[in-house]
C-alpha cells in the first residue's frame, strides 16, 4: 500500500491509540463498518489529494476540473455515514473518545486526513493518482468506499500493526482477516 493511504488510515483510525495498544493486534471491524468509515472520509481524502496535486496536473485533470463535482457526489453519503463512522472509530479507539462531541471530531478528522495525504504525495505520482480517481469517478460512492476498503486491506496485508482488520467472522473475509475479501453484496 502506498504510504499515503497507510498513513492516512493509521492517523484516522489509530489517532487515540497508545504505544501499548500499538503492540497489540489490530482491532477488527466488519466489512460494512470499514466501508462506512471510508464513506465518511472519502471527500476529505480526495480533497487532500487534489490540493497536493494541483500544481502537477493539467487544468482539465480530474483532480482539478473534475474534483468539485466529484466531491459533491461524495459529500451527501459522507454526511449520512458520519454518525456510524464515529461509532466505529470509537470502537477502534476505545475509551479515549468517550464524551467527545462528534460535531467537533468531524472537522478535525478532515484536517488530519488532508494533511497526512498532502505530506506523502510526490508530484511525480499525481498523474497516476489522477488516473485512478478518474476511473473511480463514475462508480457510485458506496462501490468506491468498498473498493478502497479492499485496496486498503490488500495493502496492509503484510504490515505488522495495521490500523484495522476485517473480522474473521465477517462473511467473505479471508481466513487470516487481512488478505483479500470477496465482493460485498
Amino acid at each position: 500500500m502506498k504510504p499515503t493511504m497507510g498513513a492516512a488510515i493509521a492517523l484516522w483510525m489509530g489517532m487515540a491509540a497508545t504505544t501499548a495498544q500499538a503492540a497489540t493486534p489490530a482491532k477488527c471491524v466488519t466489512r460494512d463498518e470499514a466501508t462506512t468509515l471510508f464513506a465518511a472520509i472519502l471527500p476529505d481524502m480526495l480533497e487532500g489529494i487534489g490540493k497536493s496535486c494541483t500544481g502537477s496536473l493539467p487544468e482539465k485533470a480530474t483532480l482539478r476540473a473534475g474534483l468539485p463535482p466529484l466531491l459533491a457526489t461524495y459529500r451527501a453519503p459522507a454526511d449520512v455515514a458520519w454518525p456510524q463512522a464515529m461509532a466505529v472509530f470509537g470502537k477502534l479507539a476505545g475509551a479515549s473518545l468517550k464524551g467527545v462531541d462528534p460535531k467537533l471530531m468531524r472537522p478535525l478528522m478532515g484536517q488530519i486526513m488532508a494533511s497526512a495525504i498532502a505530506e506523502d504525495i510526490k508530484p511525480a505520482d499525481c498523474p497516476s493518482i489522477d488516473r485512478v480517481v478518474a476511473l473511480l469517478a463514475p462508480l457510485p460512492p458506496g462501490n468506491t468506499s468498498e473498493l478502497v476498503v479492499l485496496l486498503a486491506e490488500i495493502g496492509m496485508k503484510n504490515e505488522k500493526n495495521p490500523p484495522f482488520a476485517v473480522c474473521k467472522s465477517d462473511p467473505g473475509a479471508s481466513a487470516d482477516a487481512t488478505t483479500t475479501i470477496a465482493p460485498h453484496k
Side-chain angles (χ1 to χ4, degrees), residues 67-90:
L67 191 57
L70 185 59
L71 290 176
T73 300
Y74 285 101
R75 293 240 186 254
D79 291 343
V80 170
W82 180 251
Q84 290 176 311
M86 186 63 191
V88 177
F89 183 58

Side-chain angles (χ1 to χ4, degrees), residues 26 107 152 160 174:
K160 290 180 184 175
S174 64

Side-chain angles (χ1 to χ4, degrees), residues 44-122:
D44 295 319
M45 289 175 63
L46 290 170
E47 193 166 33
I49 293 167
K51 286 179 182 176
S52 295
C53 288
T54 295
S56 304
L57 294 170
E59 223 174 274
K60 293 185 179 186
T62 302
L63 284 170
R64 290 189 67 189
L67 191 57
L70 185 59
L71 290 176
T73 300
Y74 285 101
R75 293 240 186 254
D79 291 343
V80 170
W82 180 251
Q84 290 176 311
M86 186 63 191
V88 177
F89 183 58
K91 173 182 172 180
L92 292 170
S96 59
L97 282 182
K98 289 207 188 295
V100 175
D101 184 353
K103 291 177 185 171
L104 297 175
M105 286 298 294
R106 189 167 187 187
L108 177 63
M109 298 287 49
Q111 290 173 354
I112 289 170
M113 290 302 302
S115 295
I117 288 167
E119 278 181 21
D120 290 335
I121 291 180
K122 294 173 183 58

Side-chain angles (χ1 to χ4, degrees), residues 99-161:
V100 175
D101 184 353
K103 291 177 185 171
L104 297 175
M105 286 298 294
R106 189 167 187 187
L108 177 63
M109 298 287 49
Q111 290 173 354
I112 289 170
M113 290 302 302
S115 295
I117 288 167
E119 278 181 21
D120 290 335
I121 291 180
K122 294 173 183 58
D125 295 333
C126 290
S128 296
I129 295 169
D130 187 67
R131 176 82 173 123
V132 169
V133 173
L135 291 169
L136 293 173
L139 293 176
N143 290 60
T144 303
S145 298
E146 288 193 44
L147 183 57
V148 170
V149 170
L150 174 63
L151 294 174
E153 193 173 19
I154 291 168
M156 293 183 301
K157 182 167 91 171
N158 295 319
E159 287 188 23
K160 290 180 184 175
N161 293 312

